[in-house]
Amino acid sequence: MEIAFAGVAHIHTPNFIKIIQQRSDVKVKFVWDAQAERASRAAKELDAEFIEDFSEFQTVSTKTKIDAWIITSETKLHQQIVSAAVEIGIPIFIEKPLGMNAQDAWLIAKKIQDAKLQFQTGFFMRSSPVIQQLRQWIQSGLLGEITRVRASNCHKGALGGWFDSDYRWMADPKQAGCGAFGDLGAHVMDILIWIFGPVKEATASIGSVLNRYEGCDEFGEGLMRFENGVIGTLASGWVDVANPISFLVSGTEGHASIIRGELFIKSDKLAQEGDIPWKELPPAKAHAFELFLDALEGKESFLVPVTEAAAGVAAIDAMYQGARENRWVQVSQAI
């Protein structure tokens, strides 16, 4: 199987390269990026051909029948790259977020759906055993009727200067579509939508404390109402030294939480005490990127629907708008 990189700008690209290098069934044939020097470095690491011009990249991908494009470019380029992928009908992996804002994401999703392209994005949390188990409990009714959920995804990226040089564009909302709140919030928003369904309306409070990156937020707390009536909060940012409590779900018959990576439950339907970690977990699935490579080979897929990827962008976009205007914002559900 031969694939090509349409952009190598994202901070997760090195991890994808490692995954590829560990597989004998995948070969990267071409690498393109908006910055020639960046593409050249990645091409050497992958023993691939560096393509400087994007139109040439599209042409050689068609002539050599490349099996998929891996899009890890700046978010602002996604629309252009997806349009080209649609022209040649090639499967695509797009590193999150799908688009710059709700409208951009829904337009991209429509192009992908209309062209019936195989799609995946980098929401690796779905593969986690504790997340899978939490979802199973909620869907089975073990916690009763869910009333609220709290989700948190934070790290010390700004504290550690992770975006000072090579990945500076990710701290520029004009290129990334968001700042810290949207960058990390995208992952847990995906899990929330996967478990609870569409978000109806949302707002947030978003800010900065270091002001390390001009014009870029560093942390935030979002508030949302799902269409099914559940109330949720979402915390994310780059200025946290740790993220000990990542999920807390409360229902009429119990509650469950993920604390320091371990899953806890207290339910009227279970004998186990709530302060004992739950150990009977489903097996971990592969990383989202590896699942895409498996799907290309016809193996059983566990892929993120493009509509859910767009819905996550729309919910985060509503939170940013709510923070700017100090009000609740309806979340767009389609173009």
Side-chain angles (χ1 to χ4, degrees):
M1 175 169 57
E2 292 186 330
I3 62 176
F5 270 92
V8 287
H10 202 281
I11 197 170
H12 289 161
T13 307
N15 185 44
F16 299 158
I17 290 174
K18 288 180 182 178
I19 289 173
I20 291 167
Q21 291 173 333
Q22 292 168 359
R23 296 179 62 128
S24 60
D25 58 342
V26 182
K27 164 67 177 175
V28 177
K29 186 73 174 176
F30 306 113
V31 176
W32 169 86
D33 189 87
Q35 293 185 15
E37 194 273 335
R38 190 164 57 194
S40 178
R41 285 201 316 263
K44 288 179 182 178
E45 188 174 0
L46 288 160
D47 192 25
E49 183 178 347
F50 156 55
I51 306 293
E52 185 171 3
D53 180 72
F54 183 73
S55 60
E56 182 186 352
F57 175 78
Q58 185 178 0
T59 299
V60 296
S61 293
T62 305
K63 287 183 177 179
T64 57
K65 297 182 180 179
I66 292 297
D67 294 293
W69 279 359
I70 311 305
I71 303 172
T72 52
S73 70
E74 296 89 340
T75 312
K76 70 175 183 178
L77 299 178
H78 286 182
Q79 188 79 241
Q80 171 195 350
I81 297 171
V82 169
S83 294
V86 166
E87 286 185 20
I88 62 178
I90 193 169
I92 49 177
F93 176 97
I94 306 177
E95 183 50 31
K96 62 84 193 166
L98 182 64
M100 293 287 287
N101 50 43
Q103 182 180 18
D104 190 42
W106 283 120
L107 284 169
I108 289 172
K110 188 176 189 305
K111 288 181 180 181
I112 292 169
Q113 278 195 307
D114 289 350
K116 296 181 172 57
L117 298 187
Q118 193 167 24
F119 165 83
Q120 172 69 320
T121 190
F123 289 138
F124 55 82
M125 285 186 177
R126 293 193 183 203
S127 296
S128 163
V130 293
I131 294 292
Q132 292 181 57
Q133 185 64 64
L134 179 64
R135 184 173 184 262
Q136 289 174 17
W137 283 341
I138 293 167
Q139 292 190 328
S140 69
L142 193 60
L143 303 180
E145 184 175 351
I146 304 302
T147 55
R148 61 186 174 91
V149 56
R150 295 177 176 173
S152 176
N153 189 30
C154 306
H155 63 42
K156 58 181 180 180
L159 296 173
W162 296 2
F163 309 101
D164 287 2
S165 54
D166 288 351
Y167 306 108
R168 179 63 183 84
W169 72 269
M170 295 186 66
D172 178 3
K174 293 180 181 178
Q175 298 186 70
C178 60
F181 178 71
D183 175 56
L184 287 188
H187 286 287
V188 284
M189 180 60 77
D190 174 66
I191 297 303
L192 292 173
I193 290 173
W194 189 42
I195 295 176
F196 298 105
V199 178
K200 181 180 180 181
E201 54 187 350
T203 189
S205 181
I206 299 171
S208 297
V209 62
L210 303 176
N211 295 307
R212 186 164 192 149
Y213 308 110
E214 184 179 357
C216 182
D217 57 274
E218 295 173 335
F219 67 94
E221 186 90 22
L223 181 62
M224 73 203 89
R225 296 188 185 104
F226 292 86
E227 289 189 356
N228 63 7
V230 173
I231 296 172
T233 65
L234 184 158
S236 61
W238 296 338
V239 288
D240 290 65
V241 296
N243 188 52
I245 304 174
S246 53
F247 279 90
L248 172 61
V249 183
S250 184
T252 55
E253 297 180 54
H255 59 80
S257 57
I258 300 176
I259 303 173
R260 294 185 176 88
E262 291 193 299
L263 183 61
F264 298 83
I265 184 170
K266 175 64 176 177
S267 171
D268 295 341
K269 299 178 181 179
L270 291 175
Q272 178 168 326
E273 293 297 325
D275 57 353
I276 301 173
W278 187 268
K279 298 299 183 182
E280 299 176 16
L281 300 171
K285 296 184 183 296
H287 188 283
F289 179 62
E290 193 152 11
L291 290 169
F292 175 68
L293 299 178
D294 289 343
L296 291 174
E297 295 188 327
K299 297 178 182 177
E300 183 179 357
S301 62
F302 180 63
L303 306 180
V304 179
V306 69
T307 51
E308 292 182 16
V313 175
I316 294 289
D317 192 31
M319 289 181 174
Y320 271 101
Q321 184 179 347
R324 289 192 302 268
E325 300 174 3
N326 194 30
R327 66 179 182 91
W328 285 88
V329 175
Q330 294 292 312
V331 177
S332 66
Q333 302 300 332
I335 297 171

